Amino acid sequence: MIRLWTVLGLYLVNLPFADSLFVVGLTLPMLAIVTAGLWRLRSRGFQIGDIFWFCLFIYFVISPLQRIHGDQIGGAAAITAYAYEPAEYALAMMVVVLFTFPFLFVRMHSSEEKITADVRPGMPFILVVNVVAFILFAMSEGGFERLLLSRLQQEASPALGMLFLAMQSATACLVAAYFCQSRQRLVSAAMLLFVLGLLAVSRNPFNAPRFVLLAVWGPVFLAIAGGRVSATRFYGCSLLALTVLFPVLNVTTRSGMGALQDLPQISVIGNFFDIPSIDVFDMAVHSIRYMSMHDHVWGEKLAAVVLFFIPRSAWPGKPIVGGLDVGNDLFAAGMYGTPNLSFFLGCDFYMDFGFAGVALGGAVCAFLLGALIRFTRDSFFGVRVLQFFIAASLPILLRGPVGAVLPLFVCQVFVAKLLAVMLRPSVEPSGQAGVVAAWRA
């Protein structure tokens, strides 16, 4: 019940500050979908569904309550100065509802089934791969000196860089999973501290975006806990992350160590009632305005998402994701300082094919998520490490733009799955087939 109490409590606390009854009514369909999704998660332990539905709740229920004021959207520090019609808000929410409804039929919680293929690789091999990946990632970033620069001073990581970072992240997770069950605590702890030290050099709060930090470090922390995180702890940590951690990282990841002097200005209470940097619904509303002046592009945005792995240098005419179209429109109007803004995947389908595309796209994506969860059931040392990557990347995949943030996630799953297949023993040791999944209720 902690799940329902958390979302309903947050909703009721924010409800008195809603701008109008229209805004309240606008959020009710998504509130119903989120509560239905959370109701299916009866386990006391943290599940993939927890982070999926909680992110949707923050993005499309709490955020509209907090950020819509009159005919404008943007919260207390509104940047977007466009005045929107009530119909545009309603159509934007319709896109979200149509796209997310099929996910109610996806199984997003772990079962009690036993692990039949538990991979237990040798640690020397994993450590060697981790060190090699760290060196290659540093080289791909331009050397160790450039690696330590602040995020704004760095260039975008190349595709190979994402692959090397995924190798380092995946092998660090395996070391963490080994530490969780090892009886040689001193040796396993030393190995864990070693790989965490290298990972801290590669991606830390002063040189990486928040979503990269979550995607890289989230699976490691889950592996250290063996996946046994209570739902109560998850929701408590999520609230702290939204009001304290992410606002801090928003400052440090952009300006580096020099931004530490600005941290005392962060208001935890203020952030609770106006969560910063949650502009996903804002962008959905503007995508409705944008498409009222443009024609549908019939698959162009879907192609940009699916073909994310093709570098633009090899295909100069490659389509761009919908987030850049809408972001460039807002940037040109002087309303944002960058065109690289969040963008919900359902809006890409809307720009391509309208509401029919949103409904079909939501069904296809729901099917793919269910298939991905089944595909990542492999375990290392009794821990389903691959599913940790899904959980850690869901916030940014839901926030979008998906085509811009898929590379690291896809590389992480690819590397972990490859290791599972390569290192899986041909004959399972006796008794090992009876190991129960560590990430369970």
Side-chain angles (χ1 to χ4, degrees):
M1 290 298 291
I2 183 62
R3 299 174 171 92
L4 295 180
W5 283 119
T6 299
V7 298
L8 292 177
L10 278 174
Y11 188 78
L12 292 175
V13 168
N14 282 274
L15 196 59
F17 303 99
D19 185 72
S20 64
L21 289 177
F22 169 77
V23 176
V24 175
L26 187 70
T27 61
L28 289 179
M30 273 307 295
L31 178 64
I33 289 177
V34 167
T35 53
L38 292 176
W39 180 258
R40 297 187 62 194
L41 308 176
R42 301 303 181 91
S43 167
R44 294 183 178 180
F46 162 70
Q47 306 291 327
I48 288 177
D50 281 305
I51 199 161
F52 180 88
W53 294 115
F54 188 68
C55 283
L56 290 181
F57 173 71
I58 295 297
Y59 294 163
F60 301 116
V61 180
I62 293 298
S63 179
L65 279 181
Q66 294 181 345
R67 296 174 65 85
I68 295 178
H69 300 285
D71 54 8
Q72 296 184 1
I73 186 169
I79 299 176
T80 303
Y82 279 135
Y84 297 100
E85 298 294 330
E88 292 174 312
Y89 288 113
L91 290 174
M93 190 61 76
M94 189 180 298
V95 168
V96 176
V97 169
L98 277 177
F99 187 82
T100 56
F101 179 76
F103 288 89
L104 285 173
F105 304 96
V106 177
R107 185 186 181 92
M108 296 190 203
H109 54 277
S110 61
S111 63
E112 296 289 339
E113 64 185 6
K114 297 178 180 179
I115 293 175
T116 58
D118 187 35
V119 183
R120 295 174 177 263
M123 282 298 102
F125 171 74
I126 297 300
L127 290 174
V128 168
V129 174
N130 184 270
V131 172
V132 171
F134 169 70
I135 294 173
L136 292 175
F137 176 68
M139 293 173 60
S140 71
E141 293 290 298
F144 292 103
E145 291 185 1
R146 292 198 59 81
L147 186 62
L148 298 177
L149 294 175
S150 68
R151 169 188 167 190
L152 295 182
Q153 295 175 295
Q154 295 182 5
E155 298 179 357
S157 297
L160 275 180
M162 288 294 97
L163 178 61
F164 299 143
L165 180 60
M167 290 172 59
Q168 187 183 359
S169 171
T171 49
C173 281
L174 301 195
V175 176
Y178 173 75
F179 167 79
C180 179
Q181 59 83 53
S182 176
R183 295 181 179 179
Q184 299 177 328
R185 304 300 288 178
L186 187 60
V187 175
S188 61
M191 290 189 294
L192 179 62
L193 290 175
F194 174 71
V195 298
L196 292 186
L198 295 183
L199 194 60
V201 174
S202 295
R203 298 286 81 167
N204 60 69
F206 304 104
N207 71 351
R210 289 169 297 174
F211 84 87
V212 172
L213 292 174
L214 182 59
V216 168
W217 286 95
V220 174
F221 291 136
L222 286 171
I224 291 175
R228 294 183 291 269
V229 177
S230 68
T232 302
R233 183 171 297 179
F234 164 74
Y235 285 97
C237 291
S238 296
L239 292 178
L240 286 175
L242 287 171
T243 57
V244 180
L245 179 60
F246 287 171
V248 169
L249 293 177
N250 188 46
V251 176
T252 60
T253 58
R254 283 178 166 81
S255 304
M257 302 254 329
L260 292 177
Q261 60 185 2
D262 298 328
L263 297 186
Q265 301 176 15
I266 295 176
S267 171
V268 176
I269 301 299
N271 289 341
F272 185 84
F273 291 101
D274 188 10
I275 299 174
S277 303
I278 306 295
D279 58 353
V280 194
F281 187 67
D282 309 42
M283 295 296 292
V285 174
H286 193 71
S287 70
I288 298 295
R289 170 69 59 86
Y290 181 87
M291 290 308 296
S292 69
M293 299 177 287
H294 296 80
D295 296 327
H296 294 298
V297 289
W298 307 109
E300 180 179 301
K301 303 310 167 189
L302 180 60
V305 173
V306 174
L307 302 177
F308 70 91
F309 54 89
I310 301 179
R312 196 162 295 278
S313 58
W315 184 11
K318 177 182 173 181
I320 63 174
V321 293
L324 281 177
D325 279 326
V326 178
N328 281 320
D329 190 58
L330 292 170
F331 178 72
M335 297 180 184
Y336 279 85
T338 174
N340 296 315
L341 305 172
S342 61
F343 203 69
F344 184 57
L345 180 59
C347 296
D348 283 298
F349 282 100
Y350 177 74
M351 294 180 73
D352 273 341
F353 307 110
F355 285 109
V358 173
L360 181 60
V364 171
C365 290
F367 171 80
L368 292 176
L369 177 60
L372 180 62
I373 293 173
R374 295 189 295 272
F375 178 74
T376 55
R377 285 177 177 171
D378 304 81
S379 71
F380 293 88
F381 303 106
V383 180
R384 286 179 177 161
V385 170
L386 279 80
Q387 294 192 354
F388 298 164
F389 295 122
I390 300 176
S393 292
L394 270 176
I396 189 60
L397 292 176
L398 291 171
R399 181 180 182 269
V402 173
V405 298
L406 267 178
L408 177 58
F409 170 68
V410 170
C411 288
Q412 284 177 315
V413 173
F414 169 76
V415 170
K417 188 68 176 182
L418 183 63
L419 288 173
V421 173
M422 289 176 54
L423 303 176
R424 182 180 298 151
S426 56
V427 179
E428 296 298 326
S430 60
Q432 191 165 302
V435 178
V436 180
W439 193 20
R440 66 180 186 179

